[in-house]
Amino acid sequence: MKRKRLGVVTDGAFNAGLTVRLDPRCSTEDLRIGDFVIVEGAHNRYFSMISDMQLRATDARLLADPPRDASPFIAQALSGINTYATVQVKPMLMLEKGDELAFLDELSSPQPVRTIPMHFAELCQADAMDFATVFGEESKRNFAMGTPLTMDIPICIKLDRLVERSNGIFGQTGTGKSFLVRILLCGIIQAGVGVNLIFDMHDEYAFGKRSEDGQWVKGLRHLFGSKVLVYSLDERAASREGRNVDVTLKIGLNQIEAEDVMLLAEELDLTSASKTTVGLLQDSYGKEWLRRLLGMSPEDMASFCEARAAHQGATEALQRKLRDIGRLDYVVDEVPFSVIDEMVAALDKGRHVILHFGRHDRPLDHMLVANIVTRRVRHLYQGKVERYEQTQAAADQPRTLVITLEEAHKFLSPAVSRQTIFGTIARELRKYYVTLMVVDQRPSGIDPEVMSQLGTRVTGKLTEERDIDAVLTGVANRSFLRGALESLDTREQVLLMGHAVPMPIQVRTRKYDEEFYRAMGAGERRSAVQDIAELFGE
Ligand SMILES: Nc1ncnc2c1ncn2[C@@H]1O[C@H](COP(=O)(O)OP(=O)(O)OP(=O)(O)O)[C@@H](O)[C@H]1O
Ligand SMILES: [Mg+2]
């Protein structure tokens, strides 16, 4: 079937993109910024994106003296002769013609553009075949994320590539980030391309939740049964009906390091003198530093300050502020690391872990716990990778771990990202088989260096200029993508770009509903036998 023709190329440059004059019958109102379109060159087909539109007139007098009360008839009479419209089109990928049927063959898949078509090449609407040529057919590892804005066919993302590098999910509040993350996590779990550690800060991933539309949506625990383990900080949550918690997690004072307290400097309102004191305490007492500080009498403190030349006032203030941590329900004096080590053992067996915060939902709780757990997990992964490098046995190859982190800017702001474990993970790429899925409404709050390391970005509507700039940090063709980002709806539409997709594309997000649950294989209840077989069968 022939594609619908929209216009012809009249001008262009490789860097600036092509100018296409629209056919008289084609209205600018039928097109959208960000649309996926095809330019048919003589030898190549160019998969492109509409990045701008302009209205023009052949005669300047018409613009100086436009017809008063232009009836549709007059507008139509002028259109194509005296008035016309052009669109700016940016080719993103190209494919040599005659290759269409061989698109499954890796060699003849679309390539980066290296040239542009000549004058009068045709601009056409993309059809279902074009989408399939670029984004591939839906399969287990080629996961359908949604549909084009104007068609009902799947747009897929390559899950292997998604987990290969750290990713970002952005968008202002209510754009559907958390829903999107659920969808992506389900894809990763179902395809088995990696294991997940999810910091469930707002109680939305483990168990069901009511959506803004008033529907009950299922949690991952309900969808995947015991494939997903729930660790909770909240003992009370464990006793609520329908909420099966596997482990109640405690944090020990012995596990809290200077780095954790530095991350909390803003939450705890620490001065720079207090931060120095933390260093002195850790030097003096090692792992015991926090317990020792909290237990200090005024006399102990005076002698410590004198011995280490610490500032007395700052040390007192520090003690006062850190008492808040000591008083947290889930913090006890001493906890062995074995609980987190067992968690990593479960990840090794292909299980996924959700860390549920329950009622402990302050930023202080998130930051403290996520940092401690991640530091330990990353430490164990480092050991695994070193072993694998030694033995090079397939059995020792670690599974890729994806750590999902909401409100990521708190952990990755320029002020703290150099010191925290999350900053380290984002920067070292996949060396240790650990990557991040950062979820945030304010990407401008994240260290630009971390942003530039993100492989795949999935972005919903953003209105703040700074946030749009931040999301496009380190992205090719950023000036062409800005319009595509700005033209998204406020809900359930995203721009996909980066490592896991061949070219940027606007997508209407897949619905997270009964149909999706069925596609994930839920519904037919999993039996415990099945779970155990899977767990030990590998
Ligand atoms: N894929 C989807 N399927 C079904 N409903 C969706 C989907 N995406 C978004 N929604 C609807 O949009 C609402 C907001 O989505 P969500 O809670 O994911 O926003 P958010 O971007 O995470 O916001 P916040 O930044 O405040 O956490 C949901 O409650 C739901 O009603
Ligand atoms: Mg959310």
mmCIF file of all heavy atoms in Angstrom, residues 199-243:
data_model
loop_
_atom_site.group_PDB
_atom_site.id
_atom_site.type_symbol
_atom_site.label_atom_id
_atom_site.label_comp_id
_atom_site.label_asym_id
_atom_site.label_seq_id
_atom_site.Cartn_x
_atom_site.Cartn_y
_atom_site.Cartn_z
ATOM 1 N N PHE A 199 13.417 0.688 45.458
ATOM 2 C CA PHE A 199 13.144 1.430 46.685
ATOM 3 C C PHE A 199 11.754 2.036 46.543
ATOM 4 O O PHE A 199 11.552 3.006 45.832
ATOM 5 C CB PHE A 199 14.221 2.488 46.933
ATOM 6 C CG PHE A 199 15.540 1.876 47.285
ATOM 7 C CD1 PHE A 199 16.597 1.866 46.394
ATOM 8 C CD2 PHE A 199 15.713 1.256 48.515
ATOM 9 C CE1 PHE A 199 17.805 1.259 46.708
ATOM 10 C CE2 PHE A 199 16.923 0.647 48.842
ATOM 11 C CZ PHE A 199 17.960 0.648 47.942
ATOM 12 N N ASP A 200 10.801 1.420 47.207
ATOM 13 C CA ASP A 200 9.393 1.773 47.054
ATOM 14 C C ASP A 200 9.036 2.847 48.073
ATOM 15 O O ASP A 200 8.451 2.576 49.110
ATOM 16 C CB ASP A 200 8.558 0.504 47.279
ATOM 17 C CG ASP A 200 7.103 0.714 46.962
ATOM 18 O OD1 ASP A 200 6.740 1.802 46.494
ATOM 19 O OD2 ASP A 200 6.315 -0.228 47.192
ATOM 20 N N MET A 201 9.403 4.082 47.750
ATOM 21 C CA MET A 201 9.307 5.141 48.744
ATOM 22 C C MET A 201 7.890 5.593 49.021
ATOM 23 O O MET A 201 7.586 6.089 50.087
ATOM 24 C CB MET A 201 10.150 6.312 48.286
ATOM 25 C CG MET A 201 11.595 5.870 48.219
ATOM 26 S SD MET A 201 12.644 7.091 47.526
ATOM 27 C CE MET A 201 14.214 6.260 47.699
ATOM 28 N N HIS A 202 7.017 5.482 48.032
ATOM 29 C CA HIS A 202 5.665 5.996 48.247
ATOM 30 C C HIS A 202 4.638 4.876 48.236
ATOM 31 O O HIS A 202 3.485 5.100 47.889
ATOM 32 C CB HIS A 202 5.334 7.054 47.199
ATOM 33 C CG HIS A 202 6.323 8.172 47.181
ATOM 34 N ND1 HIS A 202 6.579 8.924 48.296
ATOM 35 C CD2 HIS A 202 7.151 8.639 46.221
ATOM 36 C CE1 HIS A 202 7.508 9.824 48.013
ATOM 37 N NE2 HIS A 202 7.887 9.664 46.757
ATOM 38 N N ASP A 203 5.060 3.680 48.595
ATOM 39 C CA ASP A 203 4.132 2.579 48.727
ATOM 40 C C ASP A 203 3.317 2.356 47.455
ATOM 41 O O ASP A 203 2.095 2.353 47.484
ATOM 42 C CB ASP A 203 3.184 2.886 49.916
ATOM 43 C CG ASP A 203 2.505 1.630 50.424
ATOM 44 O OD1 ASP A 203 2.679 0.574 49.798
ATOM 45 O OD2 ASP A 203 1.790 1.713 51.437
ATOM 46 N N GLU A 204 3.977 2.216 46.314
ATOM 47 C CA GLU A 204 3.203 2.026 45.093
ATOM 48 C C GLU A 204 3.605 0.830 44.243
ATOM 49 O O GLU A 204 2.896 0.462 43.343
ATOM 50 C CB GLU A 204 3.168 3.297 44.234
ATOM 51 C CG GLU A 204 4.450 4.046 44.188
ATOM 52 C CD GLU A 204 4.320 5.432 43.532
ATOM 53 O OE1 GLU A 204 3.204 5.897 43.267
ATOM 54 O OE2 GLU A 204 5.376 6.026 43.289
ATOM 55 N N TYR A 205 4.768 0.243 44.524
ATOM 56 C CA TYR A 205 5.205 -0.839 43.644
ATOM 57 C C TYR A 205 4.912 -2.236 44.188
ATOM 58 O O TYR A 205 4.603 -3.140 43.433
ATOM 59 C CB TYR A 205 6.699 -0.709 43.343
ATOM 60 C CG TYR A 205 7.015 0.575 42.620
ATOM 61 C CD1 TYR A 205 7.836 1.542 43.175
ATOM 62 C CD2 TYR A 205 6.435 0.829 41.383
ATOM 63 C CE1 TYR A 205 8.091 2.731 42.504
ATOM 64 C CE2 TYR A 205 6.683 2.014 40.708
ATOM 65 C CZ TYR A 205 7.519 2.960 41.276
ATOM 66 O OH TYR A 205 7.764 4.123 40.607
ATOM 67 N N ALA A 206 5.028 -2.403 45.494
ATOM 68 C CA ALA A 206 4.875 -3.739 46.053
ATOM 69 C C ALA A 206 3.425 -4.188 46.012
ATOM 70 O O ALA A 206 3.100 -5.251 45.497
ATOM 71 C CB ALA A 206 5.406 -3.764 47.480
ATOM 72 N N PHE A 207 2.569 -3.353 46.570
ATOM 73 C CA PHE A 207 1.169 -3.752 46.725
ATOM 74 C C PHE A 207 0.275 -2.870 45.866
ATOM 75 O O PHE A 207 0.715 -1.872 45.319
ATOM 76 C CB PHE A 207 0.771 -3.645 48.192
ATOM 77 C CG PHE A 207 1.710 -4.373 49.100
ATOM 78 C CD1 PHE A 207 2.521 -3.685 49.976
ATOM 79 C CD2 PHE A 207 1.806 -5.758 49.036
ATOM 80 C CE1 PHE A 207 3.402 -4.363 50.805
ATOM 81 C CE2 PHE A 207 2.688 -6.443 49.857
ATOM 82 C CZ PHE A 207 3.485 -5.742 50.749
ATOM 83 N N GLY A 208 -0.989 -3.250 45.810
ATOM 84 C CA GLY A 208 -1.938 -2.486 45.005
ATOM 85 C C GLY A 208 -2.085 -1.057 45.496
ATOM 86 O O GLY A 208 -1.770 -0.721 46.627
ATOM 87 N N LYS A 209 -2.565 -0.222 44.615
ATOM 88 C CA LYS A 209 -2.746 1.171 44.982
ATOM 89 C C LYS A 209 -3.921 1.717 44.201
ATOM 90 O O LYS A 209 -4.221 1.255 43.111
ATOM 91 C CB LYS A 209 -1.484 1.942 44.628
ATOM 92 C CG LYS A 209 -1.468 3.310 45.265
ATOM 93 C CD LYS A 209 -0.255 4.123 44.943
ATOM 94 C CE LYS A 209 -0.502 5.499 45.533
ATOM 95 N NZ LYS A 209 0.584 6.347 45.627
ATOM 96 N N ARG A 210 -4.573 2.746 44.752
ATOM 97 C CA ARG A 210 -5.660 3.376 44.026
ATOM 98 C C ARG A 210 -5.079 4.431 43.102
ATOM 99 O O ARG A 210 -4.265 5.238 43.522
ATOM 100 C CB ARG A 210 -6.578 4.051 45.040
ATOM 101 C CG ARG A 210 -8.018 3.724 44.889
ATOM 102 C CD ARG A 210 -8.761 4.427 46.002
ATOM 103 N NE ARG A 210 -10.071 4.829 45.518
ATOM 104 C CZ ARG A 210 -11.087 3.998 45.423
ATOM 105 N NH1 ARG A 210 -10.942 2.740 45.759
ATOM 106 N NH2 ARG A 210 -12.262 4.416 44.987
ATOM 107 N N SER A 211 -5.496 4.424 41.842
ATOM 108 C CA SER A 211 -4.966 5.419 40.911
ATOM 109 C C SER A 211 -5.771 6.701 41.038
ATOM 110 O O SER A 211 -6.800 6.741 41.704
ATOM 111 C CB SER A 211 -5.043 4.901 39.480
ATOM 112 O OG SER A 211 -6.368 5.017 39.017
ATOM 113 N N GLU A 212 -5.325 7.754 40.362
ATOM 114 C CA GLU A 212 -6.055 9.026 40.400
ATOM 115 C C GLU A 212 -7.440 8.889 39.775
ATOM 116 O O GLU A 212 -8.315 9.699 40.014
ATOM 117 C CB GLU A 212 -5.251 10.107 39.669
ATOM 118 C CG GLU A 212 -4.099 10.629 40.498
ATOM 119 C CD GLU A 212 -3.149 11.504 39.690
ATOM 120 O OE1 GLU A 212 -3.551 11.976 38.615
ATOM 121 O OE2 GLU A 212 -2.010 11.692 40.152
ATOM 122 N N ASP A 213 -7.610 7.859 38.932
ATOM 123 C CA ASP A 213 -8.921 7.631 38.325
ATOM 124 C C ASP A 213 -9.827 6.814 39.235
ATOM 125 O O ASP A 213 -10.927 6.439 38.858
ATOM 126 C CB ASP A 213 -8.775 6.859 36.997
ATOM 127 C CG ASP A 213 -7.872 7.578 36.032
ATOM 128 O OD1 ASP A 213 -7.726 8.802 36.192
ATOM 129 O OD2 ASP A 213 -7.323 6.920 35.126
ATOM 130 N N GLY A 214 -9.334 6.478 40.427
ATOM 131 C CA GLY A 214 -10.141 5.727 41.360
ATOM 132 C C GLY A 214 -10.138 4.224 41.128
ATOM 133 O O GLY A 214 -10.920 3.499 41.729
ATOM 134 N N GLN A 215 -9.286 3.742 40.226
ATOM 135 C CA GLN A 215 -9.196 2.294 39.990
ATOM 136 C C GLN A 215 -8.168 1.691 40.943
ATOM 137 O O GLN A 215 -7.209 2.353 41.296
ATOM 138 C CB GLN A 215 -8.692 2.027 38.575
ATOM 139 C CG GLN A 215 -9.471 2.678 37.488
ATOM 140 C CD GLN A 215 -10.658 1.836 37.085
ATOM 141 O OE1 GLN A 215 -10.662 0.635 37.321
ATOM 142 N NE2 GLN A 215 -11.654 2.452 36.508
ATOM 143 N N TRP A 216 -8.361 0.413 41.273
ATOM 144 C CA TRP A 216 -7.334 -0.283 42.027
ATOM 145 C C TRP A 216 -6.336 -0.870 41.051
ATOM 146 O O TRP A 216 -6.715 -1.547 40.110
ATOM 147 C CB TRP A 216 -7.931 -1.388 42.886
ATOM 148 C CG TRP A 216 -8.470 -0.835 44.159
ATOM 149 C CD1 TRP A 216 -9.774 -0.560 44.431
ATOM 150 C CD2 TRP A 216 -7.719 -0.442 45.303
ATOM 151 N NE1 TRP A 216 -9.888 -0.015 45.683
ATOM 152 C CE2 TRP A 216 -8.640 0.075 46.248
ATOM 153 C CE3 TRP A 216 -6.358 -0.451 45.636
ATOM 154 C CZ2 TRP A 216 -8.254 0.562 47.492
ATOM 155 C CZ3 TRP A 216 -5.976 0.033 46.877
ATOM 156 C CH2 TRP A 216 -6.918 0.532 47.788
ATOM 157 N N VAL A 217 -5.099 -0.602 41.253
ATOM 158 C CA VAL A 217 -4.106 -1.208 40.362
ATOM 159 C C VAL A 217 -3.264 -2.195 41.163
ATOM 160 O O VAL A 217 -3.053 -2.014 42.359
ATOM 161 C CB VAL A 217 -3.187 -0.154 39.701
ATOM 162 C CG1 VAL A 217 -3.957 0.692 38.729
ATOM 163 C CG2 VAL A 217 -2.504 0.709 40.735
ATOM 164 N N LYS A 218 -2.804 -3.237 40.478
ATOM 165 C CA LYS A 218 -2.064 -4.285 41.184
ATOM 166 C C LYS A 218 -0.614 -3.910 41.414
ATOM 167 O O LYS A 218 -0.009 -3.209 40.608
ATOM 168 C CB LYS A 218 -2.103 -5.561 40.355
ATOM 169 C CG LYS A 218 -3.454 -6.219 40.348
ATOM 170 C CD LYS A 218 -3.339 -7.635 39.837
ATOM 171 C CE LYS A 218 -4.719 -8.263 39.811
ATOM 172 N NZ LYS A 218 -4.682 -9.667 39.431
ATOM 173 N N GLY A 219 -0.061 -4.423 42.491
ATOM 174 C CA GLY A 219 1.361 -4.256 42.740
ATOM 175 C C GLY A 219 2.136 -5.407 42.120
ATOM 176 O O GLY A 219 1.551 -6.396 41.674
ATOM 177 N N LEU A 220 3.445 -5.278 42.110
ATOM 178 C CA LEU A 220 4.272 -6.314 41.476
ATOM 179 C C LEU A 220 4.212 -7.619 42.248
ATOM 180 O O LEU A 220 4.319 -8.700 41.688
ATOM 181 C CB LEU A 220 5.726 -5.842 41.381
ATOM 182 C CG LEU A 220 5.949 -4.582 40.556
ATOM 183 C CD1 LEU A 220 7.422 -4.234 40.525
ATOM 184 C CD2 LEU A 220 5.435 -4.778 39.151
ATOM 185 N N ARG A 221 4.012 -7.524 43.549
ATOM 186 C CA ARG A 221 3.902 -8.726 44.356
ATOM 187 C C ARG A 221 2.692 -9.543 43.921
ATOM 188 O O ARG A 221 2.729 -10.751 43.845
ATOM 189 C CB ARG A 221 3.786 -8.303 45.828
ATOM 190 C CG ARG A 221 3.564 -9.437 46.779
ATOM 191 C CD ARG A 221 4.766 -10.354 46.763
ATOM 192 N NE ARG A 221 4.545 -11.464 47.654
ATOM 193 C CZ ARG A 221 5.424 -11.875 48.547
ATOM 194 N NH1 ARG A 221 6.593 -11.275 48.649
ATOM 195 N NH2 ARG A 221 5.167 -12.887 49.317
ATOM 196 N N HIS A 222 1.608 -8.833 43.615
ATOM 197 C CA HIS A 222 0.397 -9.532 43.181
ATOM 198 C C HIS A 222 0.576 -10.131 41.798
ATOM 199 O O HIS A 222 0.045 -11.185 41.493
ATOM 200 C CB HIS A 222 -0.793 -8.572 43.169
ATOM 201 C CG HIS A 222 -1.108 -8.038 44.522
ATOM 202 N ND1 HIS A 222 -1.424 -6.722 44.749
ATOM 203 C CD2 HIS A 222 -1.105 -8.641 45.731
ATOM 204 C CE1 HIS A 222 -1.612 -6.537 46.046
ATOM 205 N NE2 HIS A 222 -1.422 -7.682 46.660
ATOM 206 N N LEU A 223 1.330 -9.436 40.962
ATOM 207 C CA LEU A 223 1.481 -9.923 39.588
ATOM 208 C C LEU A 223 2.457 -11.091 39.489
ATOM 209 O O LEU A 223 2.268 -11.995 38.698
ATOM 210 C CB LEU A 223 1.984 -8.796 38.680
ATOM 211 C CG LEU A 223 0.964 -7.731 38.302
ATOM 212 C CD1 LEU A 223 1.598 -6.715 37.371
ATOM 213 C CD2 LEU A 223 -0.230 -8.371 37.620
ATOM 214 N N PHE A 224 3.516 -11.033 40.289
ATOM 215 C CA PHE A 224 4.572 -12.028 40.094
ATOM 216 C C PHE A 224 4.775 -12.955 41.286
ATOM 217 O O PHE A 224 5.726 -13.725 41.313
ATOM 218 C CB PHE A 224 5.888 -11.335 39.725
ATOM 219 C CG PHE A 224 5.830 -10.661 38.390
ATOM 220 C CD1 PHE A 224 5.628 -9.300 38.290
ATOM 221 C CD2 PHE A 224 5.941 -11.403 37.225
ATOM 222 C CE1 PHE A 224 5.547 -8.674 37.057
ATOM 223 C CE2 PHE A 224 5.872 -10.784 35.982
ATOM 224 C CZ PHE A 224 5.672 -9.425 35.898
ATOM 225 N N GLY A 225 3.910 -12.866 42.279
ATOM 226 C CA GLY A 225 3.983 -13.778 43.422
ATOM 227 C C GLY A 225 5.342 -13.768 44.079
ATOM 228 O O GLY A 225 5.970 -12.723 44.217
ATOM 229 N N SER A 226 5.827 -14.941 44.415
ATOM 230 C CA SER A 226 7.043 -15.000 45.219
ATOM 231 C C SER A 226 8.311 -14.779 44.398
ATOM 232 O O SER A 226 9.414 -14.866 44.910
ATOM 233 C CB SER A 226 7.121 -16.332 45.955
ATOM 234 O OG SER A 226 7.077 -17.355 44.996
ATOM 235 N N LYS A 227 8.158 -14.489 43.122
ATOM 236 C CA LYS A 227 9.318 -14.055 42.345
ATOM 237 C C LYS A 227 9.806 -12.705 42.865
ATOM 238 O O LYS A 227 10.928 -12.295 42.620
ATOM 239 C CB LYS A 227 8.889 -13.862 40.886
ATOM 240 C CG LYS A 227 9.582 -14.769 39.920
ATOM 241 C CD LYS A 227 9.178 -14.390 38.518
ATOM 242 C CE LYS A 227 10.014 -15.131 37.525
ATOM 243 N NZ LYS A 227 9.541 -14.949 36.174
ATOM 244 N N VAL A 228 8.883 -11.992 43.506
ATOM 245 C CA VAL A 228 9.195 -10.672 44.045
ATOM 246 C C VAL A 228 9.167 -10.735 45.565
ATOM 247 O O VAL A 228 8.153 -11.081 46.148
ATOM 248 C CB VAL A 228 8.152 -9.643 43.545
ATOM 249 C CG1 VAL A 228 8.372 -8.295 44.203
ATOM 250 C CG2 VAL A 228 8.205 -9.520 42.039
ATOM 251 N N LEU A 229 10.286 -10.434 46.202
ATOM 252 C CA LEU A 229 10.336 -10.445 47.659
ATOM 253 C C LEU A 229 10.106 -9.037 48.186
ATOM 254 O O LEU A 229 10.600 -8.075 47.609
ATOM 255 C CB LEU A 229 11.711 -10.905 48.138
ATOM 256 C CG LEU A 229 12.129 -12.331 47.792
ATOM 257 C CD1 LEU A 229 13.542 -12.584 48.290
ATOM 258 C CD2 LEU A 229 11.162 -13.313 48.428
ATOM 259 N N VAL A 230 9.361 -8.942 49.280
ATOM 260 C CA VAL A 230 9.138 -7.624 49.858
ATOM 261 C C VAL A 230 9.854 -7.531 51.203
ATOM 262 O O VAL A 230 9.611 -8.323 52.106
ATOM 263 C CB VAL A 230 7.634 -7.350 50.040
ATOM 264 C CG1 VAL A 230 7.422 -5.982 50.668
ATOM 265 C CG2 VAL A 230 6.914 -7.439 48.710
ATOM 266 N N TYR A 231 10.761 -6.586 51.295
ATOM 267 C CA TYR A 231 11.420 -6.261 52.557
ATOM 268 C C TYR A 231 10.756 -4.984 53.050
ATOM 269 O O TYR A 231 10.646 -4.028 52.286
ATOM 270 C CB TYR A 231 12.911 -5.983 52.333
ATOM 271 C CG TYR A 231 13.755 -7.224 52.175
ATOM 272 C CD1 TYR A 231 13.522 -8.126 51.154
ATOM 273 C CD2 TYR A 231 14.813 -7.472 53.057
ATOM 274 C CE1 TYR A 231 14.302 -9.270 51.009
ATOM 275 C CE2 TYR A 231 15.602 -8.608 52.918
ATOM 276 C CZ TYR A 231 15.345 -9.500 51.900
ATOM 277 O OH TYR A 231 16.129 -10.617 51.751
ATOM 278 N N SER A 232 10.329 -4.949 54.295
ATOM 279 C CA SER A 232 9.669 -3.737 54.764
ATOM 280 C C SER A 232 10.334 -3.190 56.013
ATOM 281 O O SER A 232 10.845 -3.926 56.837
ATOM 282 C CB SER A 232 8.197 -4.016 55.043
ATOM 283 O OG SER A 232 7.570 -2.817 55.420
ATOM 284 N N LEU A 233 10.321 -1.864 56.128
ATOM 285 C CA LEU A 233 10.831 -1.219 57.339
ATOM 286 C C LEU A 233 9.728 -1.085 58.358
ATOM 287 O O LEU A 233 9.954 -0.732 59.502
ATOM 288 C CB LEU A 233 11.284 0.210 57.007
ATOM 289 C CG LEU A 233 12.585 0.399 56.264
ATOM 290 C CD1 LEU A 233 12.804 1.885 56.077
ATOM 291 C CD2 LEU A 233 13.738 -0.188 57.058
ATOM 292 N N ASP A 234 8.516 -1.327 57.893
ATOM 293 C CA ASP A 234 7.351 -1.006 58.686
ATOM 294 C C ASP A 234 6.705 -2.300 59.174
ATOM 295 O O ASP A 234 6.061 -3.010 58.420
ATOM 296 C CB ASP A 234 6.389 -0.221 57.784
ATOM 297 C CG ASP A 234 5.198 0.309 58.540
ATOM 298 O OD1 ASP A 234 5.030 -0.061 59.720
ATOM 299 O OD2 ASP A 234 4.441 1.091 57.950
ATOM 300 N N GLU A 235 6.895 -2.577 60.473
ATOM 301 C CA GLU A 235 6.361 -3.832 61.005
ATOM 302 C C GLU A 235 4.849 -3.908 60.880
ATOM 303 O O GLU A 235 4.287 -4.951 60.620
ATOM 304 C CB GLU A 235 6.753 -3.981 62.474
ATOM 305 C CG GLU A 235 7.930 -4.887 62.664
ATOM 306 C CD GLU A 235 8.600 -4.636 64.003
ATOM 307 O OE1 GLU A 235 8.811 -3.462 64.354
ATOM 308 O OE2 GLU A 235 8.890 -5.615 64.675
ATOM 309 N N ARG A 236 4.220 -2.752 61.052
ATOM 310 C CA ARG A 236 2.767 -2.754 61.011
ATOM 311 C C ARG A 236 2.228 -3.104 59.633
ATOM 312 O O ARG A 236 1.201 -3.734 59.499
ATOM 313 C CB ARG A 236 2.234 -1.389 61.435
ATOM 314 C CG ARG A 236 2.051 -1.304 62.938
ATOM 315 C CD ARG A 236 1.221 -0.115 63.275
ATOM 316 N NE ARG A 236 2.056 0.975 63.759
ATOM 317 C CZ ARG A 236 1.709 2.249 63.720
ATOM 318 N NH1 ARG A 236 0.555 2.621 63.205
ATOM 319 N NH2 ARG A 236 2.502 3.178 64.200
ATOM 320 N N ALA A 237 2.970 -2.659 58.601
ATOM 321 C CA ALA A 237 2.521 -2.959 57.231
ATOM 322 C C ALA A 237 2.459 -4.457 57.014
ATOM 323 O O ALA A 237 1.591 -4.973 56.316
ATOM 324 C CB ALA A 237 3.471 -2.339 56.216
ATOM 325 N N ALA A 238 3.385 -5.149 57.683
ATOM 326 C CA ALA A 238 3.477 -6.586 57.489
ATOM 327 C C ALA A 238 2.220 -7.290 57.975
ATOM 328 O O ALA A 238 1.862 -8.357 57.488
ATOM 329 C CB ALA A 238 4.697 -7.113 58.217
ATOM 330 N N SER A 239 1.542 -6.679 58.951
ATOM 331 C CA SER A 239 0.391 -7.380 59.511
ATOM 332 C C SER A 239 -0.914 -7.015 58.805
ATOM 333 O O SER A 239 -1.959 -7.545 59.128
ATOM 334 C CB SER A 239 0.298 -7.086 61.010
ATOM 335 O OG SER A 239 0.228 -5.692 61.194
ATOM 336 N N ARG A 240 -0.848 -6.088 57.842
ATOM 337 C CA ARG A 240 -2.097 -5.733 57.161
ATOM 338 C C ARG A 240 -2.497 -6.798 56.167
ATOM 339 O O ARG A 240 -1.664 -7.417 55.518
ATOM 340 C CB ARG A 240 -1.958 -4.392 56.454
ATOM 341 C CG ARG A 240 -2.411 -3.285 57.370
ATOM 342 C CD ARG A 240 -2.050 -1.943 56.835
ATOM 343 N NE ARG A 240 -2.712 -1.657 55.566
ATOM 344 C CZ ARG A 240 -2.424 -0.574 54.849
ATOM 345 N NH1 ARG A 240 -1.494 0.264 55.274
ATOM 346 N NH2 ARG A 240 -3.043 -0.348 53.723
ATOM 347 N N GLU A 241 -3.795 -6.980 56.027
ATOM 348 C CA GLU A 241 -4.305 -8.059 55.190
ATOM 349 C C GLU A 241 -3.904 -7.890 53.729
ATOM 350 O O GLU A 241 -3.873 -6.775 53.210
ATOM 351 C CB GLU A 241 -5.828 -8.098 55.291
ATOM 352 C CG GLU A 241 -6.364 -9.486 55.102
ATOM 353 C CD GLU A 241 -7.866 -9.499 55.193
ATOM 354 O OE1 GLU A 241 -8.425 -8.680 55.964
ATOM 355 O OE2 GLU A 241 -8.466 -10.307 54.495
ATOM 356 N N GLY A 242 -3.579 -8.978 53.092
ATOM 357 C CA GLY A 242 -3.256 -8.933 51.667
ATOM 358 C C GLY A 242 -1.873 -8.406 51.377
ATOM 359 O O GLY A 242 -1.499 -8.210 50.244
ATOM 360 N N ARG A 243 -1.115 -8.109 52.430
ATOM 361 C CA ARG A 243 0.214 -7.566 52.208
ATOM 362 C C ARG A 243 1.221 -8.524 52.805
ATOM 363 O O ARG A 243 1.454 -8.510 54.007
ATOM 364 C CB ARG A 243 0.353 -6.199 52.882
ATOM 365 C CG ARG A 243 -0.675 -5.231 52.412
ATOM 366 C CD ARG A 243 -0.343 -3.861 52.899
ATOM 367 N NE ARG A 243 -0.642 -2.919 51.832
ATOM 368 C CZ ARG A 243 -0.075 -1.741 51.691
ATOM 369 N NH1 ARG A 243 0.824 -1.336 52.541
ATOM 370 N NH2 ARG A 243 -0.409 -0.954 50.706
#
